Amino acid sequence: MNNAPPASARTRGRPRGNPPIRESLVSAARALFLERGYRRTTLRAVAGAAGVDPALIAYHFGSKKGLFADVMQFQCANALVVDDVLGGDPATLPDRLIDAVTDLWEDSDFRQLSARGDEAAEAIREYLEHELLARLVEFLGGRDATARATAVVTVLGGLIYTRYLNPLPTPSALTPSETRRILTPALRAALAPRAAHHGMSTGTGNRKWKFKHFPA
């Protein structure tokens, strides 16, 4: 008996399956989305370019929207290689995070893909929430890791929104290096461990707080 769940019940994003087939579908879809646009790209054309049965698209991605989301998230993952970004000097982590975001969005192919409105925005939200935020929480550790990671992703999400998705004149006019200079202090503050309460001071009645600062 075949107990495999139907295609519609499979989880989109990282379903089980043959990785080479999945990767070939993402690669073929990316090329066709760039050449023809989202609306004129058919699943049959993607399957033909990848040399596989069209039913495999439903198996791996559920729909064209699901396939497009994976193309976008694959682009994000290639640019925001989390292990590389997090693996360097902690003192320059804010710079690496901003550089990774601006490098991704300054790429003309990614800008073309991201023009696909709601589908693109949803894919980017999913990547920030389920990949970058989760990895930052794991990397930072400690009781305040989620708060710190959330602050970081909020700053980066604001950068993406005001500079690229719905650009405001002032942020969009900045060069990437100017963007890094302006936002690095905000990211450094977001990454800094939160204050811990260590009791009351004697004689003054004031609270005593100790701060551990993120490396300058």
Side-chain angles (χ1 to χ4, degrees), residues 27-210:
S27 178
R30 177 184 180 278
L32 288 172
F33 285 139
L34 286 170
E35 177 187 344
R36 303 180 182 181
Y38 180 86
R39 192 173 301 278
R40 294 194 300 116
T41 297
T42 66
L43 297 185
R44 186 172 297 279
V46 172
V52 302
D53 191 309
L56 286 173
I57 296 179
Y59 176 86
H60 285 288
F61 308 101
S63 64
K64 184 165 77 169
K65 181 179 178 181
L67 176 59
F68 179 78
D70 261 56
V71 169
M72 291 293 293
Q73 292 185 33
F74 179 77
Q75 292 289 107
C76 290
N78 273 353
L80 293 167
V81 182
V82 177
D83 289 339
D84 291 350
V85 172
L86 299 182
D89 182 357
T92 55
L93 176 56
D95 305 80
R96 292 196 301 278
L97 285 166
I98 294 171
D99 285 346
V101 170
T102 55
D103 286 350
L104 171 66
W105 283 88
E106 297 298 326
D107 178 77
S108 59
D109 285 351
F110 187 79
R111 294 286 289 274
Q112 185 176 337
L113 289 170
S114 69
R116 179 56 200 171
D118 291 344
E119 286 85 357
E122 181 179 346
I124 293 163
R125 283 196 300 269
E126 287 187 7
Y127 182 82
L128 291 174
E129 174 75 15
H130 300 297
E131 181 65 22
L132 185 57
L133 178 61
R135 292 296 301 279
L136 277 170
V137 171
E138 179 183 2
F139 171 78
L140 293 171
R143 61 176 181 80
D144 59 358
T146 299
R148 294 160 66 193
T150 299
V152 169
V153 171
T154 299
V155 173
L156 295 177
L159 165 62
I160 291 169
Y161 185 78
T162 60
R163 183 174 170 84
Y164 301 108
L165 286 180
N166 190 25
L168 298 178
T170 300
S172 63
L174 298 172
T175 65
S177 61
E178 289 170 336
T179 300
R180 185 195 319 117
R181 177 177 56 81
I182 289 172
L183 290 184
T184 291
L187 274 184
R188 195 176 303 284
L191 285 161
R194 302 303 185 254
H197 179 211
H198 291 276
M200 305 292 290
S201 63
T202 57
T204 64
N206 294 324
R207 294 175 185 266
K208 292 178 64 178
W209 299 85
K210 293 184 179 179

